[in-house]
Amino acid sequence: MAGAASLPERVDAYEAALLAEAMAAHQGDVRQAVAALGIPRKTFYDKLKRHGIAPQDYRGGREEGAAG
């Protein structure tokens, strides 16, 4: 399989996709995304940072902590 991504590259891409999917499904609500993924909040934030994913990009203009 010439040119195919290595296993670590594929795992990394899959992890990023799962994180983005969870953020989208929960409109950027970190508490809900963490619960859905079943990982510690610190680990979640570390992974978001590593993959360059920003929760606010999934909030649709909603501010964190806003009533509604």
Side-chain angles (χ1 to χ4, degrees):
M1 291 197 330
S6 68
L7 179 60
E9 290 170 335
R10 293 172 70 183
V11 169
D12 203 48
Y14 184 64
E15 180 179 78
L18 288 176
L19 292 167
E21 180 182 293
M23 291 305 296
H26 299 289
Q27 294 81 43
D29 187 315
V30 171
R31 288 182 186 155
Q32 289 182 6
V34 165
L37 292 171
I39 61 174
R41 191 177 182 113
K42 167 89 168 79
T43 300
F44 182 76
Y45 276 112
D46 290 345
K47 290 178 182 293
L48 289 182
K49 184 176 180 181
R50 183 161 44 95
H51 294 292
I53 298 171
Q56 60 270 21
D57 292 346
Y58 296 87
R59 292 193 182 123
R62 181 177 76 101
E63 293 297 320
E64 187 169 343

